[in-house]
């Protein structure tokens, strides 16, 4: 929901980033306020996933320019764990398996790290069990998954549910969901999206990264951004996603080509 | 199966570097106790063997045992088959007997023990005095070559349990020593066992009489204090028919930039329906990050399931020593006897470990389990070496072995050398092995949920070791978990 006077949670200004000396982000600008749901769309290689990894602090991605403020604080100066503790959450496209580490224990340690940061008391094993069983409802997850190792042997859909369960426990202010819809059948998609909708409030914001309209059929965005060649090329309302669905991404190439020409100082085609 | 050194990618964020820093952490037991010590001259010959025996006023059979061992040792070559590299040990440059002055004669009662010694053990977390001693564990404290105190001796005696230093056992129960000494690890068993048999100075003796479940855990704590002395202790545990005991062993040493030799022998005997659980947390000084100093740990540990349905279980957490050469084994002689080996070996910097187990199935329907977890960091090398042998009479015997290696960083090595010999077609042997490394993506995943870098590594390492930690007695399991976390603690870059 778009609210007047809502708190500015995230402010990205002219962000540049590289992986292995390959520039991927080339000047991203984005502002997200509390209560809003944003969707970033674009083709493979457009930089959408990189944007999510950079915001979460993945060590393989190097920021080479620009700034990111989270509630006025320099997010890029913080280690990944601190970003999580102050309320930035990344839902992974491919959650890794961590053999030997109990899912329940992992969820408890993570939840407590966030609680401590918020000045709340740590939960002991018993109170945490109560909380986690309540939050399991959000994603209709079988409690048996708590007793297993983190993501080990989970199906694609179970892994994604486990991601949303973590989100439900950590109660982030900004949830970045990277291709959460990939690999989900229609029922799983409904459950996961239902969870996301359930968790969205006027105090937090969601940034969806996706290829497809089908996720946006179940989670309605306030803003849609189209990303290409490491920048946000165009921003609109939910109708922009529908337009993409109908027209495909070809027009994006055309627009990019036009901009390139313009940048080189030559008049763009069709401009007198 | 040999796992090549595996790389953690050298990420721009410097994760590999910080992983390296993480496993480097100062040794907390490296202090030296300033105490007057009586030492004999360096070097080893027959006179030294006789001198040690004379100092202990030993009966003739024991001097004979030592001399036979020494003469055999002189004919042996130091073994070189292990995946270990170290300069040749100069056996003439070692002191073979060192004892705190006050302890020279008969062992004093606790009130008479030098306060400096009590203080040392208290600093190590092993308070010995009446008021402070651990409530549920009886402790034998060994300092350099001698035992300085044993707690709860009298209380255990009420149940007929004998728990005392080896020296006392020789004085008070020579017939038991004569009956059992060298029957599991003969004095000519191997180079280091022969050396130990010739010069061993003290250690612990345990006898649990028929039908008695030992009312508390027993423990020996070994402390090396002198920089030029070797420690050669001997432990002998006998569980008679239907008896059971849980025994714990701990060890630390000061930081010297020279190497000290530790060559121990442990013998376990389990008669019909007896059960012995032997747990070790080994934290000898490991040397510095360049491999200077540290203990050379050459240990022979073997248990004999002599009786039917007897049970011997080894659990070890090996985190220290510059060199570890150690293969706690079980000879499964009695029908339906059970042997177990659970091991976590962590090596870092230039540490080298060649460790594993031998399960020798002699009797019918004997069963054994081996679970080994090796963690190698820094430039260390960590090898599992194990033998499973099925003798001709081991009808229906079964073994299961699982050997997992975890690599941290791109300079460490992990090897697995399983040896299998079977002379019995109706015996089943299973072996599983795996190698993994802590990946940057796993660490990032945990971090991105608010879990700090160090805690993330420690969570993954203890997750990896869980199967083994579950086997440790409760108070030890917590200690082992802490110890690994400690070893993995450090500055996060």
């Amino acid at each position: 929901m778009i609210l007047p006077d809502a708190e500015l949670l995230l402010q990205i200004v002219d962000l540049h980033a590289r992986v292995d000396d390959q520039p991927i982000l080339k000047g991203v600008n984005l502002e997200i306020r509390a209560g809003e749901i944003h969707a970033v769309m674009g083709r493979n290689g457009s930089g959408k996933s990189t944007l999510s990894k950079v915001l979460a602090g993945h060590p393989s991605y190097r920021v080479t320019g620009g700034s990111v403020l989270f509630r006025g604080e320099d997010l890029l100066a913080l280690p990944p764990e601190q970003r999580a503790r102050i309320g930035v959450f990344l839902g992974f496209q491919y959650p890794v398996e961590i053999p030997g580490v109990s899912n329940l224990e992992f969820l408890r340690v993570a939840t407590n790290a966030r609680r401590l940061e918020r000045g709340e008391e740590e939960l002991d094993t018993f109170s945490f069990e109560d909380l986690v069983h309540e939050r399991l409802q959000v994603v209709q997850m079988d409690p048996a998954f708590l007793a297993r190792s983190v993501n080990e042997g989970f199906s694609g859909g179970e892994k994604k549910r486990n991601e949303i369960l973590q989100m439900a426990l950590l109660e982030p202010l900004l949830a970045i969901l990277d291709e959460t819809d990939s690999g989900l059948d229609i029922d799983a998609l409904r459950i996961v999206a239902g969870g996301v909708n359930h968790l969205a409030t006027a105090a937090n914001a969601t940034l969806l990264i996706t290829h497809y309209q089908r996720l946006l059929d179940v989670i309605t965005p306030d803003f849609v951004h189209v990303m290409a060649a490491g920048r946000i090329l165009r921003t609109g309302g939910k109708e922009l996603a529908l337009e993409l669905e109908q027209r495909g991404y070809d027009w994006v190439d055309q627009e990019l080509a036009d901009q390139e020409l313009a940048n080189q100082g030559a008049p763009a085609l069709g401009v007198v | 199966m040999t796992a090549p050194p595996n790389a953690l990618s050298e990420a721009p964020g410097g994760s590999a570097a910080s992983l390296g820093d993480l496993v480097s952490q100062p040794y907390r037991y490296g202090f030296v106790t300033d105490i007057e010590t009586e030492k004999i001259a360096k070097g080893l010959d027959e006179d030294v063997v006789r001198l040690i025996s004379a100092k202990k006023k030993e009966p003739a059979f024991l001097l004979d045992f030592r001399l036979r061992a020494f003469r055999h040792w002189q004919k042996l070559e130091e073994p070189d088959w292990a995946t270990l590299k170290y300069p040749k040990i100069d056996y003439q440059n070692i002191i073979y007997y060192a004892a705190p002055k006050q302890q020279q004669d008969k062992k004093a009662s606790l009130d008479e023990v030098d306060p400096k010694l009590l203080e040392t053990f208290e600093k190590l977390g092993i308070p010995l005095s009446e008021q402070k001693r651990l409530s549920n564990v009886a402790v034998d404290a060994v300092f350099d070559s001698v035992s300085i105190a044993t707690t709860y001796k009298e209380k255990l005696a009420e149940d007929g349990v004998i728990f005392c230093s080896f020296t006392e056992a020789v004085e008070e129960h020579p017939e038991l020593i004569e009956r059992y000494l060298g029957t599991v690890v003969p004095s000519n068993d191997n180079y280091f066992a022969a050396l130990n048999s010739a010069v061993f100075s003290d250690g612990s003796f345990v006898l649990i009489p028929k039908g008695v479940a030992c009312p508390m855990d027993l423990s020996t704590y070994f402390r090396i204090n002198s920089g030029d002395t070797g420690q050669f202790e001997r432990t002998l545990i006998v569980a008679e028919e239907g008896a059971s005991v849980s025994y714990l062993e701990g060890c630390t040493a000061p930081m010297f930039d020279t190497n000290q030799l530790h060559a121990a022998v442990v013998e376990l005997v389990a008669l019909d329906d007896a059960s012995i659980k032997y747990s070790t947390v080994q934290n000898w000084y490991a040397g510095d990050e360049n491999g200077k100093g540290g203990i050379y740990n050459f240990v022979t540990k073997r248990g004999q399931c002599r009786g039917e349905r007897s049970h011997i279980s080894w659990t070890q957490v090996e985190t220290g020593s510059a060199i570890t050469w150690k293969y706690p084994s079980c000879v499964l002689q009695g029908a339906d006897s059970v042997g177990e080996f659970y091991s976590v070996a962590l090596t870092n910097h230039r540490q080298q470990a060649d460790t594993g187990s031998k399960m020798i199935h002699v009797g019918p329907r004997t069963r054994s389990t081996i679970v080994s977890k090796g963690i190698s960091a820094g430039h260390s090398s960590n090898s599992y070496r194990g033998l499973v042998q099925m003798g001709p009479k081991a009808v229906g015997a079964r073994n299961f072995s699982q050997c997992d290696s975890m690599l941290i960083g791109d300079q460490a090595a992990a090897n697995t050398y399983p040896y299998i010999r079977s002379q019995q077609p109706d015996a089943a042997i299973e072996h599983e092995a795996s190698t993994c490394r802590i990946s940057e993506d796993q660490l990032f995943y945990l971090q991105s949920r608010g879990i700090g870098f160090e805690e993330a590594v420690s969570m993954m390492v203890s997750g990896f070791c869980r199967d083994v930690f579950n086997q440790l007695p409760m108070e030890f399991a917590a200690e082992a978990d802490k110890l690994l976390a400690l070893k993995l603690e450090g500055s996060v870059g």
Side-chain angles (χ1 to χ4, degrees):
Chain A
M1 68 201 89
I2 303 174
L3 302 165
D5 308 324
E7 183 192 3
L8 180 60
L9 288 179
L10 185 74
Q11 188 178 29
I12 303 175
V13 179
D14 196 27
L15 184 63
H16 288 70
R18 292 169 177 256
V19 184
D20 301 334
D21 289 331
Q22 174 83 29
I24 309 281
L25 299 186
K26 301 171 189 168
V28 175
N29 294 289
L30 180 63
E31 286 193 353
I32 298 181
R33 289 176 185 274
E36 296 173 352
I37 296 177
H38 290 243
V40 170
M41 304 185 74
R43 280 183 165 151
N44 280 336
S46 61
K48 340 185 269 303
S49 274
T50 297
L51 177 63
S52 69
K53 296 270 176 44
V54 167
L55 292 177
H58 194 290
S60 296
Y61 298 78
R62 196 151 50 94
V63 173
T64 49
S67 65
V68 178
L69 297 181
F70 181 72
R71 308 179 87 190
E73 189 177 355
D74 180 4
L75 189 68
L76 301 177
L78 303 175
E81 60 269 28
Q82 191 55 27
R83 299 183 195 194
R85 290 173 195 156
I86 62 173
V88 176
F89 176 87
L90 171 61
F92 286 81
Q93 181 177 7
Y94 303 110
V96 291
E97 302 191 359
I98 309 182
V101 175
S102 127
N103 200 27
L104 182 66
E105 183 61 12
F106 156 68
L107 294 170
R108 192 173 72 87
V109 173
T111 304
N112 279 335
R114 172 95 174 105
R115 287 179 67 90
L116 275 182
E117 183 68 30
R118 290 203 286 186
E120 294 165 355
E121 255 182 50
E122 284 188 89
L123 295 176
D124 61 27
T125 349
F126 300 108
S127 353
F128 181 71
E129 288 227 17
D130 293 344
L131 177 70
V132 79
H133 280 97
E134 175 208 314
R135 300 291 153 93
L136 278 172
Q137 311 296 324
V138 176
V139 282
Q140 300 171 33
M141 201 163 127
D142 184 344
F145 287 103
L146 297 173
R148 291 167 58 175
S149 292
V150 178
N151 295 326
E152 194 182 32
F154 288 24
S155 72
E158 287 154 359
K159 283 181 182 167
K160 294 295 170 72
R161 285 198 212 190
N162 204 30
E163 293 293 291
I164 304 304
L165 172 64
Q166 292 165 42
M167 179 176 156
L169 287 164
L170 296 175
E171 300 176 358
L173 293 168
L174 173 67
I176 304 157
L177 302 176
D178 188 7
E179 309 265 3
T180 290
D181 49 329
S182 72
L184 293 186
D185 61 35
I186 194 69
D187 293 327
L189 179 70
R190 275 215 191 93
I191 291 165
V192 166
V196 174
N197 283 328
H198 177 83
L199 296 170
T201 68
N204 62 32
T206 310
L207 175 59
L208 304 167
I209 299 206
T210 184
H211 272 297
Y212 303 109
Q213 170 62 31
R214 67 171 198 159
L215 180 67
L216 305 182
D217 289 338
V218 277
I219 306 174
T220 311
D222 301 302
F223 298 95
V224 173
H225 311 275
V226 180
M227 222 173 151
R231 281 177 297 134
I232 289 176
L233 205 59
R234 205 199 277 189
T235 294
K238 62 179 183 220
E239 64 289 343
L240 180 55
L242 292 167
E243 188 188 333
L244 274 174
E245 179 87 344
Q246 280 159 15
R247 293 175 55 195
Y249 281 102
D250 287 346
W251 62 270
V252 172
D253 298 335
Q254 184 59 48
E255 199 154 314
L256 270 180
D258 292 352
Q259 287 193 4
E260 205 134 297
L261 281 173
N263 286 343
Q264 286 164 8
L269 289 176
V271 175
V272 181
Chain B
M1 182 211 71
T2 302
N6 222 328
L8 252 186
S9 63
E10 199 50 72
S15 258
S18 27
L19 259 180
D21 296 346
L22 192 63
V23 288
S24 323
Q25 97 94 40
Y27 184 66
R28 299 193 181 177
Y29 307 99
F31 62 91
V32 183
T33 305
D34 179 20
I35 194 161
E36 248 194 298
T37 307
E38 191 236 351
K39 294 178 180 177
I40 63 173
K42 276 184 181 172
L44 181 56
D45 56 22
E46 212 168 288
D47 290 342
V48 169
V49 176
R50 287 179 191 278
L51 181 61
I52 292 170
S53 186
K55 275 193 176 299
K56 300 196 159 288
K57 303 183 181 76
E58 287 175 352
F61 83 85
L62 204 49
L63 176 61
D64 273 359
F65 177 82
R66 289 179 183 275
L67 289 174
R68 262 183 285 125
F70 180 69
R71 287 168 196 152
H72 186 76
W73 179 74
Q74 283 179 308
K75 289 182 232 150
L76 294 174
E77 290 285 322
E78 194 175 319
D80 61 358
W81 41 260
T83 309
L84 300 170
K85 282 192 199 117
Y86 56 96
K88 228 174 159 33
I89 298 170
D90 180 359
Y91 292 91
Q92 297 307 329
N93 196 33
I94 293 171
I95 292 173
Y96 287 85
Y97 185 84
K101 271 253 158 86
Q102 170 250 359
Q103 294 290 137
Q104 283 178 63
D105 296 326
K106 183 144 175 76
K107 192 153 116 180
S109 83
L110 208 54
D111 313 331
E112 297 164 81
V113 172
D114 189 325
K116 271 188 190 164
L117 289 174
L118 295 180
E119 203 180 290
T120 300
F121 280 94
E122 195 158 333
K123 223 163 141 182
L124 296 169
I126 318 288
L128 299 169
S129 66
E130 285 294 331
Q131 305 79 30
K132 294 183 189 162
R133 64 190 185 182
L134 307 169
S135 62
N136 50 352
V137 184
V139 179
D140 184 23
V142 176
F143 189 88
D144 283 337
S145 302
V146 293
S147 161
I148 61 152
T150 311
T151 61
Y152 293 111
K153 259 178 73 174
E154 297 74 21
K155 185 167 187 290
L156 289 164
E158 289 168 18
D159 286 300
V161 171
I162 303 173
F163 178 44
C164 62
S165 73
F166 209 92
T167 307
E168 284 168 279
V170 170
E171 285 166 16
E172 291 164 27
H173 312 282
E175 74 293 348
L176 290 174
I177 299 296
E178 194 168 7
R179 190 187 314 160
Y180 289 108
L181 180 71
T183 60
V184 183
V185 180
S187 63
N188 62 359
D189 187 78
N190 68 70
Y191 187 82
F192 295 104
L195 176 64
N196 173 286
S197 301
V199 301
F200 74 92
S201 47
D202 215 333
S204 304
F205 175 73
V206 175
L207 182 121
I208 314 291
K210 195 169 170 176
V212 171
C214 190
M216 60 171 75
D217 286 357
L218 307 183
S219 168
T220 303
Y221 195 93
F222 295 100
R223 174 71 177 172
I224 292 179
N225 192 59
S226 304
D228 44 8
T229 307
Q231 193 178 56
F232 306 92
E233 85 278 2
R234 205 153 175 124
T235 303
L236 173 55
I237 300 177
V238 179
E240 292 185 346
E241 290 84 351
S244 64
V245 63
S246 168
Y247 179 92
L248 327 169
E249 176 198 82
C251 24
T252 58
M255 299 197 281
F256 294 115
D257 48 16
T258 53
N259 301 102
Q260 291 83 48
L261 177 62
H262 173 254
V265 169
V266 175
E267 297 180 275
L268 312 181
V269 178
L271 303 183
D272 285 356
D273 299 296
S275 153
I276 301 174
K277 187 174 173 66
Y278 192 107
S279 313
T280 305
V281 172
Q282 187 263 105
N283 191 19
W284 293 119
Y285 177 53
D288 69 7
E289 67 260 38
N290 301 313
K292 203 165 174 51
I295 301 286
Y296 287 173
N297 192 33
F298 291 89
V299 172
T300 305
K301 291 184 167 177
R302 191 174 306 152
Q304 191 174 31
C305 283
R306 211 170 275 187
E308 296 185 1
R309 297 167 303 278
S310 56
H311 188 152
I312 289 180
S313 176
W314 299 99
T315 304
Q316 60 171 24
V317 177
E318 301 283 318
T319 64
S321 297
I323 303 278
T324 297
W325 181 99
K326 183 180 171 188
Y327 315 91
S329 306
C330 296
V331 180
L332 302 167
Q333 198 174 313
D336 301 292
S337 59
V338 176
E340 292 169 322
F341 173 74
Y342 297 96
S343 169
V344 166
L346 171 74
T347 54
N348 190 15
H349 300 313
R350 304 277 169 178
Q351 277 179 278
Q352 303 173 62
D354 193 300
T355 183
S357 182
K358 289 191 277 186
M359 292 293 173
I360 314 293
H361 292 253
V362 180
R365 298 175 308 278
T366 47
R367 282 167 291 145
S368 66
T369 304
I370 293 175
V371 176
S372 162
K373 307 275 180 176
I375 303 156
S376 349
H379 289 81
S380 70
S381 153
N382 199 327
S383 304
Y384 168 82
R385 187 182 303 276
L387 168 68
V388 176
Q389 186 171 322
M390 299 293 182
K393 291 179 186 154
V395 181
R398 294 203 308 269
N399 160 267
F400 172 74
S401 304
Q402 186 186 335
C403 306
D404 299 324
S405 307
M406 178 183 263
L407 293 156
I408 299 180
D410 57 0
Q411 301 293 319
N415 304 292
T416 303
Y417 305 104
Y419 302 86
I420 293 170
R421 286 182 207 139
S422 184
Q423 297 167 279
Q424 171 48 253
D426 184 28
I429 302 172
E430 277 180 74
H431 180 90
E432 285 179 13
S434 75
T435 303
C436 68
R437 66 195 175 95
I438 293 187
S439 80
E440 186 178 75
D441 280 333
Q442 288 170 319
L443 280 174
F444 177 62
Y445 188 79
L446 294 176
Q447 281 180 283
S448 75
R449 297 302 181 249
I451 299 168
F453 187 84
E454 290 180 10
E455 195 176 1
V457 172
S458 150
M459 259 176 124
M460 291 184 58
V461 169
S462 43
F464 178 72
C465 301
R466 178 152 306 154
D467 295 351
V468 173
F469 287 173
N470 284 345
Q471 297 299 325
L472 286 170
M474 265 254 270
E475 55 274 61
F476 242 35
E479 192 189 320
D481 218 9
K482 251 192 286 172
L483 183 61
L484 282 206
L486 211 92
K487 284 265 163 182
L488 294 167
E489 187 180 280
S491 55
V492 176

